[in-house]
Amino acid sequence: MDEKQRIEQLRKQLHEHNYKYYVLNEPSISDYDFDQLMHELQDLEARHPEMEDKNSPTQRVGSDLQSEFRQVTHKYPMLSLSNTYSEEDVRQWYDSVKKGLAGEDFEVCCEMKYDGLSISLTYVDGRLTQAVTRGDGVQGDDVTQNVKTIRAIPLVLPGTGYPQEFEIRGEILMPWTSFERLNAEREAAEEPLFANPRNAASGTLKSLDSRVVASRQLDAYLYYLLGEELPADGHFENLETARQWGFKISEGMKKVRTVEEILDYINYWDTERKNLPVATDGIVLKVNSLRQQRALGFTAKSPRWAIAYKFKAERAQTRLLEVTYQVGRTGAVTPVANMEPVQLAGTTVRRATLNNEDFIRSFDLHIGDMVYVEKGGEIIPKIVGVNIDERPIIAQPVQFIKRCPECGTPLVRYEGEAAWYCPNDAGCPPQIKGRIEHFIARRAMNIDSLGPETVDEYFRRGLIRNVADLYDIEVQQINGDGSRTKSAQRIVNGIQKSKEVPFERVVFALGIRFVGETSARLLARHFKSMDALMQAGLQDLEEVEGIGEVMAKSIIGYFHNGQNRGIVERLRGYGLQFALSTEQTAAQSDRLAGLSIVISGVFQHHSRDEYKLLIEQNGGKNVGSISSKTSFILAGDNMGPSKLQKAEKLGIRIVSEDEFLEMIE
């Protein structure tokens, strides 16, 4: 592969990783590995200026913007910091600052780099008026209501002497204790685990339900003050003053003058950070004087007066004792490494996921091996290597099982999949119980009077074998000796009340593989009834925005299964909501009748889902992709360049948000 081909390959990889990190909150590589790929791309692009591309990952910062929130333009851009991983890089940065200041003396403020979600808080007359995420650095999401639930952030300042208006920036964090409790709850519900506290904090703060945010006990540290009337020229001094105003400022800040003092600070916290209650992934170095900061200025993407030193991932060595296997509700079989307990990044690690059979083979794992385990910023431990030199002579290679550990059914591996599956979805206990637990979950049918332990008990007693059986349960069946009448009645009432749950959540509750909450909502809004969804073909499903071929085939396969159809028909008979409500489907007008409309961009007045509903209520049809049959594009801010280009090529009209609202008035 030549260098030009490598440039294209790196751009593609980094775009994918940016999407996973900033949009899905599901990073698949470490920050260190990401930065190494980025540095390689920067070096290659410097050698090949003819390959310039304004859409290259090197030309922009990532974005965590979400259409459900109102976007706000930052008064002061929130740029990212350049990352470094070595003592040599720290020295080079220090020397560049000295050169940039023409030899003038300067101080450096050393701070912990907290691993959370960046936030900008605006206070007017001592009251919190706005909280905005970093977003793409230029604009972010307004999450004020959610931030108000975080007790570490003052709503009204108790101190005095603060400016009439100012901005203070910091990091929203999820403490280790809250994070571990949350993941334990998600594991019990067989929901995907958060990879680290940063992702958990981000996912929590972007929740549309402030009660969820409040329940997860987020924390916050503030680290930068901005405004027209700041107390001092020194960054350190400003933060110490902000502490007196009632803000939570790190106790670990320190002012230094020499590069040796910087390195001493880094070395101290590389060990001591393990005792902190929140996740940290490095040290931030800032020139202390605001005047000198202004003199040094910025590059296109980051300030010259600050840099982030990232700690290397923490690694430990321990012995692999055995490999066990877990079966999820979809039938996927996950191997788990059981190891001798070892301390790592502040917690005791005993288990680590092994992903799949290919992962095991890639390390040639043997029982009894001394394995290297890493966490870094990740709470989910992973095996990253094997110490072959310490392999016992009698060690036997790990052999992936051939039969389901729960029901004994021979496992299967579907084309294009890395995992092995138990195909006995009708008779394998973990799959059956997993589907029932998914069905009763808060975001599905919300039968909060039931829980995993109750589902397990009812399954063992033969009361339930599928989700439809829940609606046959009677008080006397679960009352036992008569001492649990109230709780039994509460459970039955909760099950009956679930019949009021909206259609879109019923679709999600069915547990169709690959269909999440968002997909279920899109499907419900598009097809409007269970009958229409059950009869939909591949082409019908792929017309729905966000529904690809894999998901479409999974939906078709689910409804073609006789047992599934039988359960669905039983649920219909019990009175569950199998169609959108009259209010949701009632057409307000026929102004958009016969029109096929594509939605693209970020909107100010309504969310994308609300616009889709308005289109349907006025007789129009939502379509996910642009074609010659598209009537017009409802375009908000930041419309995708590829869609814009295709629209221009096909001569399709672009309609703004305000124009659209006038059309349907």
Side-chain angles (χ1 to χ4, degrees), residues 561-609:
N561 180 292
Q563 184 177 40
N564 291 339
R565 289 187 74 96
I567 291 171
V568 170
E569 291 306 322
R570 285 181 62 194
L571 294 176
R572 185 200 303 272
Y574 293 126
L576 273 67
Q577 302 299 310
F578 267 39
L580 292 180
S581 65
T582 305
E583 292 79 9
Q584 290 174 303
T585 56
Q588 297 176 349
S589 76
D590 59 357
R591 292 185 179 90
L592 304 178
L595 301 181
S596 295
I597 302 163
V598 171
I599 295 179
S600 181
V602 178
F603 299 93
Q604 299 294 324
H605 304 306
H606 299 281
S607 69
R608 290 168 68 98
D609 284 344

Side-chain angles (χ1 to χ4, degrees), residues 316-319 339-345 347-350 373:
Q317 183 175 266
T318 188
R319 191 172 301 280
M339 307 169 294
E340 289 181 350
V342 62
Q343 283 291 317
L344 192 61
T347 58
T348 300
V349 172
R350 294 180 175 85
V373 187

Side-chain angles (χ1 to χ4, degrees), residues 29-77:
I29 63 172
S30 68
D31 289 350
Y32 177 82
D33 290 338
F34 180 90
D35 287 338
Q36 296 310 300
L37 293 176
M38 183 67 80
H39 290 156
E40 182 185 354
L41 179 57
Q42 288 171 335
D43 291 342
L44 288 172
E45 288 182 341
R47 290 205 293 268
H48 294 278
E50 74 278 9
M51 294 284 289
E52 180 185 2
D53 183 351
K54 292 182 180 179
N55 290 322
S56 171
T58 61
Q59 300 304 307
R60 68 182 181 94
V61 295
S63 171
D64 62 2
L65 294 171
Q66 291 188 6
S67 59
E68 290 88 351
F69 293 92
R70 183 176 70 92
Q71 270 74 58
V72 175
T73 300
H74 293 297
K75 185 175 181 180
Y76 309 96

Side-chain angles (χ1 to χ4, degrees), residues 300 533 644 664:
L533 177 59
L644 181 60
I664 61 175

